[in-house]
Amino acid sequence: MNNFYALWRSIFIYVFLFFSLTTFAQVGIGTTNPNGDALLELDASATPGGLLLPRVNLEATNNAAPLSAHIPGMAVYNNATTSGAYGVSPGYYFNDGGRWVRIAASSDASDDWKLTGNAGTTPGTGAGQNYLGTTDGQALVLATQSNQRMRLLANGQIVVNNNVPFGGVVFNSFSGASEDAIAGGAMNGFGVYGQAEGTGVGVYGIVDNATAFGMQAINLDWNGAAILAVGAGWGGGTYIPSTGISTNGDEGIFSWGKLLSGTGVMGTGNNSTSIISSINGGGVAGSGTRNGVFGYSGNGARNNENRGNAAGIFLLDTDNNILNNGESNDNGIRATAILAGFDNTVPGDGQPAADSYFGGYFSGGTERLFSTVPSYAYVGMRYGMNANGRTGGTDYKIIGTGNVSTLINDEHDIPRIMFAPESPEIVFQDYGVGQLVNGQAHISIDPILKQSLHIDSNHPLKVFVTLEGDCNGVFVTNKSADGFTVKELQNGTSNVPFSWQIVANRADTKDRSGNVVSKHVGLRLPVGPGPINAEAKQLELKTVDKKESLKKPMESGLINEVKRELSSTGEVNNQSAESNLQSNTLEESSTSPTTESEVSKTKE
């Protein structure tokens, strides 16, 4: 009977609640006056208690189980712990129609990141750290107007204004590293990577201060390089340790001095503090306490492909157009200087090859290939030698189209030219005086000189005697490398003084093994070296001078804002240093202008 009454009482209560919900649409538990905007209000003021949601074991955030489907708004308390990219942990979850979303990591509301900033965070690594990011392998995307602006990948890469990293390069080399490892420089890779599409700029820096830098790179390692720049789509780069900048590309580096007196590239070495440049500017200015400019060419073997190689080449053009240098054009190259070079120097007309080495080649005058030959000369030349570069050729101190000459001053100190005699053969000369004794005298050739003379029947010694007194006349006999004898005619016995001159062929120069290093004997009017037409190329100059775009960030106060941020964080610590810039001029030092400029450096 009691069970019967209990059943009817329960039916009565459910019927009452049903009509109450239907009539008023508000239900109160623990209160008789539920809020009008609430469908259900629980009041625990009289009897303390709480709302206990269904307790389930979720399998993954992307899996509806143990429910049959994702139902938007469904709320549960999860008891399970699973791993993986979609793992779950105990706590409250709600379903957004496609996945389970954790409501809070703990009862502490500080787990939420606020739009107005956060306080009391704990940086670092490992358990207990606070961070804005993900716990799975998914990338963190930052966007504006629903457009991606930055993506932080799970492997530590950072991509700005792009969808994927270029070539998989590590942008943040400190990903997952401890602070000690970062401070000690143990991590490898790239700290910042910028990529632009089209005509954009990968990395762009602006400053507005005479002692500031748009970009600064420092390598604290003694053997490290600060900047590696690679052009022409070469991909990876190669650097030289302990350099400030290492560049790779079809052309290594380009620098433009835009003033009329500007210099494209200035460099000083030997730990010198002086920077010397021409008062008229130039492409390159090198200075140092030991060497100003050093040139080196590593391919100098006697091979056809090495012809034209040299440690240094200098050209003087007339119209600033290297391509305008044809056979019928007077606006081409007017002067050439080539230092430490190798080339085939035969003048043409079917002559055999004469590969030659020379310390210097100098020419002056309009060059029209072979139709107009300038004045040219080689210095320190080994002409037409064998492949070993040591034997078979002929050595020339100076050889060229001009005249051997010197200068003397007249009574008005005006320089006057004197010309040296020249011969179709390679000969040596010597002069001296002697005296007949009873009609005879023997003259010995200097023992040092005779070592360099070649005297035989085909190359006899030539002797010229001038009498300086009266006698029957003289003749020369017994000529050899040791000397010659002067006798009076008709068996005379005079004691007349005389002067003499000898001319003899120069002997070949040989090494200690007897190999001919420089050929001299038998040469008479041999074919000589022709001029060199140094080749050059002209590159296209492209300008990306966007002054208006530079003004906008300045006018908007962006630079000042960045400066304030850096100053507030103590990241600006520039110390100024001075460097003297001196000008090189041909004028007297008293009238030479001197320019001083302060160059700001960052000292760590």
Side-chain angles (χ1 to χ4, degrees), residues 20-35:
S20 297
L21 289 172
T22 304
T23 304
F24 301 105
Q26 289 92 22
V27 176
I29 299 178
T31 178
T32 59
N33 186 25
N35 189 283

Side-chain angles (χ1 to χ4, degrees), residues 49-126:
L51 177 64
L52 186 59
L53 293 181
R55 287 155 290 178
V56 299
N57 292 324
L58 298 179
E59 298 179 4
T61 57
N62 62 345
N63 189 346
L67 276 67
S68 60
H70 291 292
I71 302 174
M74 182 68 69
V76 298
Y77 182 86
N78 171 54
N79 286 319
T81 299
T82 62
S83 59
Y86 303 98
V88 295
S89 58
Y92 288 100
Y93 284 79
F94 75 93
N95 198 290
D96 64 1
R99 62 173 180 168
W100 293 104
V101 181
R102 186 179 174 88
I103 297 178
S106 67
S107 59
D108 188 354
S110 64
D111 286 342
D112 300 329
W113 286 86
K114 301 178 178 59
L115 297 177
T116 57
N118 299 271
T121 59
T122 302
T125 59

